[in-house]
Amino acid sequence: MVSCCCKIPIFVFIFLLLVISSSICATHSSETGNSQANNQTFRPEEESKKLKLVRERLNKINKPALKTIQSPDGDIIDCVLLRHQPAFDHPKLKGKKPLDPPESPNGHNRKGMAAEDFQMWMMSGESCPEGTIPIRRTTEGDMLRASSVASFGKKPTRLVRRDSTSDGHEHAVGYVSGDEYYGAKANINVWAPRVSNQYEFSLSQLWVISGSFGDDLNTIEAGWQVSPELYGDYYPRFFTYWTSDAYQATGCYNLLCSGFVQTNNRIAIGAAISPTSSYGGGQFDISLLVWKDPKHGNWWLEFGSGILVGYWPSILFTHLRDRASMVQFGGEIVNSSPGGSHTSTEMGSGHFAGEGFGKASYFRNLQVVDWDNNLIPLPNLKVLADHPNCYDIQGGINSVWGNYFYFGGPGRNVNCP
């Protein structure tokens, strides 16, 4: 495979760093966090009040289940009636019913249905009945790991200076911009990267983006992530995210707020993925397609070849009600600089792009959806690694994988102290 790495202007470099920041805001090392915890005074009244807030929030998130499934990884999966899912708590969605499947993009080749048992909970041999959806149950422990009850399930709100890139988020991404986009598709290689502490994360995802990149930023996101703060473990997990105001008041991960409408009874958003890839061994990837329904304008999510997970209603958004102005693919980590050094949290496989297939992580078959609902190759893929001595990226194109790139790295090493 021919590979190359293109340079981009520094203003694009800074611009991208502002728009692709996501997930956990890690501003302290684990040592600092432990020190703060040890210095805190236990206040029974405050703790009681917090637990009350936690339980009230849990009652909103966790819906009544027709059936409960115990996953081998410790998760509890609740089978919830479609009409009772969190999405329909939204004021603009109350009383609505899930929509029928939309018209697929032209050129989308569905060669049968892909295997749906790519999640650990399916190993139990149990499944959710028709008319229900599987939802990973949120626990008190999940919520207590968050910085606050209000921030649970949300990406952090923070002011980002346009002349600064030192927010702890590091990326290796491919992207297209400068046109109108109505969807994106990719095969994403799945690994279980090492994450150094609970304040950090590692993810691989696609972003569909629109807005002025200020307070009105709209994003739709999907992929896999290892996030010990959000999930309490180090498994790679299938996730979604959305926001219509730059991660401020709107949006959340998975089904942790009202918004995304799930229609599939076989896939649990937020559940652990299995199998994963191994270095020098078997490789596993997931195919994700996000596209705008030409008829109703909602953004649908498909897994594999024809498995519709659900949709983001257009009423959730401002700019994305019309179209996207940028599409991005790639990896992101949080570097909390433990002990004053760069983190050893891995991105992708934990190996650099130059090691190639079976050793470095990849994205392949990168495509976008155009204004006429056609799935097309990327017109001009650019790649960017903001800390290339820690995590890098190499892009290319061939007749088998189409547009693709390898990316990732180990984090701290002799060239990334």
Side-chain angles (χ1 to χ4, degrees):
M1 299 176 191
V2 179
S3 63
C4 62
C5 186
C6 63
K7 297 181 180 178
I8 65 171
I10 190 65
F11 74 89
V12 177
F13 171 86
I14 295 172
F15 175 79
L16 273 176
L17 293 182
L18 297 177
V19 303
I20 59 179
S21 296
S22 62
S23 206
I24 310 163
C25 181
T27 56
H28 302 286
S29 68
S30 57
E31 291 86 354
T32 303
N34 290 337
S35 174
Q36 290 176 335
N38 292 336
N39 292 332
Q40 288 177 346
T41 303
F42 179 72
R43 298 180 175 87
E45 288 186 9
E46 288 186 13
E47 291 301 311
S48 177
K49 186 180 294 185
K50 184 175 182 180
L51 278 175
K52 183 181 178 182
L53 289 173
V54 165
R55 286 164 185 162
E56 288 175 354
R57 181 77 185 278
L58 286 174
N59 285 336
K60 290 183 179 179
I61 295 174
N62 294 326
K63 302 299 183 181
L66 286 187
K67 179 180 178 180
T68 294
I69 299 170
Q70 180 70 55
S71 174
D73 64 351
D75 281 354
I76 296 174
I77 304 297
D78 289 325
C79 301
V80 175
L81 285 172
L82 274 167
R83 65 179 183 273
H84 290 166
Q85 64 181 293
F88 296 115
D89 291 338
H90 194 286
K92 293 183 179 180
L93 296 175
K94 280 190 175 181
K96 303 284 187 182
K97 294 181 179 179
L99 296 176
D100 293 330
E103 176 187 349
S104 296
N106 302 316
H108 180 36
N109 187 12
R110 288 175 170 165
K111 298 178 180 178
M113 300 290 278
E116 296 177 54
D117 55 349
F118 75 107
Q119 295 187 306
M120 286 191 184
W121 73 277
M122 298 296 293
M123 296 178 184
S124 66
E126 297 284 338
S127 62
C128 285
E130 291 292 331
T132 69
I133 61 168
I135 302 180
R136 177 184 181 269
R137 184 182 297 178
T138 301
T139 67
E140 281 190 9
D142 291 336
M143 297 197 69
L144 291 172
R145 284 190 303 273
S147 58
S148 71
V149 175
S151 67
F152 173 72
K154 293 180 176 289
K155 295 184 178 181
T157 302
R158 58 184 179 276
L159 295 175
V160 182
R161 289 170 49 199
R162 287 189 174 271
D163 60 347
S164 171
T165 61
S166 58
D167 66 349
H169 292 252
E170 301 181 14
H171 315 86
V173 298
Y175 68 96
V176 291
S177 60
D179 205 343
E180 297 180 355
Y181 308 101
Y182 296 82
K185 183 182 180 183
N187 286 73
I188 308 176
N189 198 195
V190 180
W191 294 78
R194 179 180 61 194
V195 173
S196 293
N197 62 62
Q198 78 170 66
Y199 304 102
E200 300 183 347
F201 74 87
S202 182
L203 62 76
S204 294
Q205 70 166 83
L206 61 82
W207 292 258
V208 176
I209 301 168
S210 192
S212 65
F213 304 99
D215 290 343
D216 63 343
L217 177 70
N218 289 201
T219 74
I220 285 172
E221 308 172 29
W224 62 261
Q225 64 181 167
V226 175
S227 178
E229 181 174 3
L230 188 59
Y231 303 107
D233 58 34
Y234 294 84
Y235 293 118
R237 292 174 175 272
F238 177 48
F239 82 95
T240 61
Y241 199 90
W242 70 274
T243 181
S244 63
D245 62 358
Y247 307 103
Q248 295 182 96
T250 65
C252 63
Y253 279 110
N254 309 331
L255 302 181
L256 296 176
C257 68
S258 56
F260 185 84
V261 179
Q262 183 162 339
T263 59
N264 188 284
N265 71 327
R266 302 280 293 176
I267 293 176
I269 304 173
I273 298 174
S274 180
T276 59
S277 302
S278 60
Y279 185 78
Q283 299 300 297
F284 177 71
D285 63 34
I286 56 175
S287 172
L288 296 180
L289 166 64
V290 173
W291 86 102
K292 195 171 193 292
D293 173 9
K295 184 176 181 181
H296 297 289
N298 303 309
W299 292 85
W300 283 78
L301 172 63
E302 179 180 296
F303 168 81
S305 298
I307 303 169
L308 293 178
V309 182
Y311 60 94
W312 292 269
S314 62
I315 54 97
L316 298 175
F317 304 104
T318 53
H319 298 286
L320 281 175
R321 286 193 189 189
D322 299 320
R323 66 188 69 86
S325 56
M326 177 182 284
V327 171
Q328 293 179 173
F329 312 86
E332 178 182 356
I333 65 96
V334 163
N335 173 25
S336 63
S337 301
S341 300
H342 193 282
T343 183
S344 57
T345 285
E346 298 173 340
M347 181 188 292
S349 69
H351 294 262
F352 288 114
E355 294 194 39
F357 184 76
K359 297 179 179 179
S361 189
Y362 63 80
F363 276 63
R364 63 183 177 92
N365 296 329
L366 304 178
Q367 295 175 289
V368 292
V369 179
D370 70 8
W371 65 274
D372 200 24
N373 203 33
N374 297 306
L375 197 58
I376 61 173
L378 300 186
N380 186 22
L381 176 67
K382 298 179 177 67
V383 295
L384 164 73
D386 51 35
H387 292 74
N389 289 332
C390 310
Y391 315 99
D392 68 357
I393 184 169
Q394 294 180 5
I397 185 169
N398 65 32
S399 60
V400 179
W401 276 17
N403 287 107
Y404 70 88
F405 58 79
Y406 289 104
F407 74 102
R412 185 166 65 236
N413 64 77
V414 293
N415 297 314
C416 175

